[in-house]
Amino acid sequence: MKNILLIIPYGGVGGMERLAFSFYNFYKKEGHFIKAVKFIKMENDIINFGEDELFFSDRDFSEMSKTERLKFYISIPFQLRKVIKKHKITHSISFGAMPNVYSSLTYTKDYKIASIHALKSVELSNNSLLSKMTRFGYKYTYKNLDKVVCISNAIKEDLLEKCNFKFANKLKVIYNPHDVDEIQKRSLEEITEEEEALLASNSVLFIGRLSTQKSPWHLIKAFSLVLKTVPDAKLIFIGDGDAGVLKHLEDLIDELEIKKQIQFFGRKKNPYKYLVNAKMLALASHYEGTPNVIVEAMCLATPVVSSCCTYGIVELMSLKNQKVEDKMVEVEAGIITPNLYKNRLGIPETNDFIDEEYVLAEAVEKVLKSSVYKENLEEKREELLMKFNLEKVANEYLK
């Protein structure tokens, strides 16, 4: 039996948090002693670990003064060290940039597994404090980790070729696991009549945090073009978001005069019951790793349209190598469109349309108008999902 600690920044509905929760359930079922620590615990957390949950603060970073935030940042490795020693942790798994760095700074004897879930060269193009911490870790402190899991080959190559990552021998590619049976079971939960009516139309669903990484303005602009040929289409967002991004989206929707066709559902504890009822899932991120929500859509035979923000998208959605450049590519799970990233992170300065948004709109329209994409996914689903077996992946992390 192992004593395992899972380390996450928040308890939101993002892919990393859902992955941590899947690991928690599996390891607990296997009889391991397990604890999960959140840096920040919020009242409206979707992911909760019951009696096995620990946290360092119940105030979000945005509620802290600069001095308070700095003190909190400095305290985290010491607090982690106390948790690891108190519970005699033998294996710790950290999820994301900040937990990875802090895990590398505890100087404890547990077997330390870090995980990287996004294409970091794009994220590190800004000069935020988190980016500085991440770059420092890649050069110096990641040597203290035993294994650094990359959730796609694209992420591993990006770290080595573009991020000055110094510890190549630590890197291991392991795809994110998914409990297919649990996802399908939870998708059967009832939704309201109003929600059912919305999803029964030509519904385009987005699941995730409304952030600059996900660049949802591209999806909204593409959707405004789709409405010209599919006027009954609905775009539905599930997830919370950054205040600045939400304000930009509201202004953009007003400018495009499409408010009646777009719904914001907010955070949902069970996104699967919506995903299974939607006509399709759509993503337009500036950078990703291998988005969990794409695999979850495949589990439920919901076709996907996604921009190719990383080759990891192709690794998920296709059974063979594909190049996505200036044209869309049809694959087993749906359609992949050209990258939307234009060498600048953050809220755009203008709402001018770009060529790639027109291609994204064309792909969304294709999936809405044809059942072929769902039929193809249903036929290839089992083969696509083979590499995401939860038991295999959870055990591989601990080796």
Side-chain angles (χ1 to χ4, degrees), residues 144-183:
N144 300 325
L145 301 170
D146 295 285
K147 181 188 293 182
V148 180
V149 173
C150 304
I151 63 170
S152 74
N153 286 298
I155 289 176
K156 179 180 177 180
E157 292 168 9
D158 182 67
L159 287 172
L160 295 174
E161 295 173 8
K162 299 180 181 180
C163 298
N164 200 24
F165 189 89
K166 296 296 187 183
F167 312 105
N169 62 314
K170 306 277 188 183
L171 298 177
K172 171 83 171 176
V173 176
I174 306 176
Y175 290 102
N176 276 347
H178 293 270
D179 189 335
V180 177
D181 291 339
E182 179 66 16
I183 290 169

Side-chain angles (χ1 to χ4, degrees), residues 71 103 106 117 124 170 172 308 342 354 391-392 397:
K71 287 181 179 178
S103 177
T106 61
H117 297 258
L124 297 179
K170 306 277 188 183
K172 171 83 171 176
C308 190
K342 297 296 182 183
I354 60 175
E391 180 178 359
K392 175 187 172 186
Y397 260 68

Side-chain angles (χ1 to χ4, degrees), residues 211-223:
S211 64
T212 53
Q213 174 190 346
K214 304 292 185 181
S215 52
W217 47 84
H218 291 303
L219 182 55
I220 288 173
K221 289 160 72 181
F223 180 72

Side-chain angles (χ1 to χ4, degrees), residues 135-358:
R135 286 193 290 264
F136 181 82
Y138 289 175
K139 288 184 180 179
Y140 303 108
T141 69
Y142 271 52
K143 68 182 177 184
N144 300 325
L145 301 170
D146 295 285
K147 181 188 293 182
V148 180
V149 173
C150 304
I151 63 170
S152 74
N153 286 298
I155 289 176
K156 179 180 177 180
E157 292 168 9
D158 182 67
L159 287 172
L160 295 174
E161 295 173 8
K162 299 180 181 180
C163 298
N164 200 24
F165 189 89
K166 296 296 187 183
F167 312 105
N169 62 314
K170 306 277 188 183
L171 298 177
K172 171 83 171 176
V173 176
I174 306 176
Y175 290 102
N176 276 347
H178 293 270
D179 189 335
V180 177
D181 291 339
E182 179 66 16
I183 290 169
Q184 292 176 342
K185 177 183 175 182
R186 293 183 64 194
S187 74
L188 300 176
E189 185 179 307
E190 290 186 2
I191 57 178
T192 67
E193 291 183 5
E194 183 181 359
E195 291 168 339
E196 187 175 5
L198 278 170
L199 292 162
S201 64
N202 281 307
S203 52
V204 181
L205 188 64
F206 170 96
I207 298 175
R209 184 165 178 80
L210 296 164
S211 64
T212 53
Q213 174 190 346
K214 304 292 185 181
S215 52
W217 47 84
H218 291 303
L219 182 55
I220 288 173
K221 289 160 72 181
F223 180 72
S224 72
L225 300 171
V226 171
L227 288 171
K228 295 177 181 178
T229 56
V230 191
D232 69 330
K234 295 288 188 295
L235 175 57
I236 300 166
F237 289 97
I238 291 180
D240 57 10
D242 302 333
V245 173
L246 289 170
K247 178 64 166 61
H248 175 70
L249 298 185
E250 291 170 3
D251 292 343
L252 177 62
I253 290 167
D254 286 340
E255 181 181 322
L256 295 171
E257 298 180 346
I258 55 174
K259 193 170 184 177
K260 290 183 179 179
Q261 285 77 34
I262 297 181
Q263 296 283 327
F264 291 89
F265 280 8
R267 282 177 136 186
K268 294 292 182 183
K269 189 172 184 178
N270 178 7
Y272 310 122
K273 61 182 180 179
Y274 303 102
L275 187 54
V276 75
N277 285 288
K279 189 73 175 283
M280 60 176 291
L281 174 78
L283 300 176
S285 300
H286 275 173
Y287 63 95
E288 288 281 4
T290 52
N292 288 329
V293 71
I294 288 180
V295 183
E296 292 160 352
M298 294 192 304
C299 290
L300 302 174
T302 300
V304 180
V305 168
S306 176
S307 62
C308 190
C309 54
T310 166
Y311 188 77
I313 300 290
V314 180
E315 291 179 60
L316 292 185
M317 292 179 61
S318 179
L319 294 171
K320 52 187 179 290
N321 291 332
Q322 302 274 4
K323 284 190 176 181
V324 183
E325 295 174 350
D326 59 344
K327 296 180 181 178
M328 71 178 73
V329 175
E330 297 191 359
V331 294
E332 289 82 358
I335 301 177
I336 304 173
T337 68
N339 192 353
L340 293 152
Y341 176 63
K342 297 296 182 183
N343 300 312
R344 182 186 178 278
L345 288 176
I347 296 170
E349 295 174 350
T350 75
N351 291 331
D352 296 341
F353 281 73
I354 60 175
D355 292 341
E356 291 80 2
E357 289 166 346
Y358 286 91

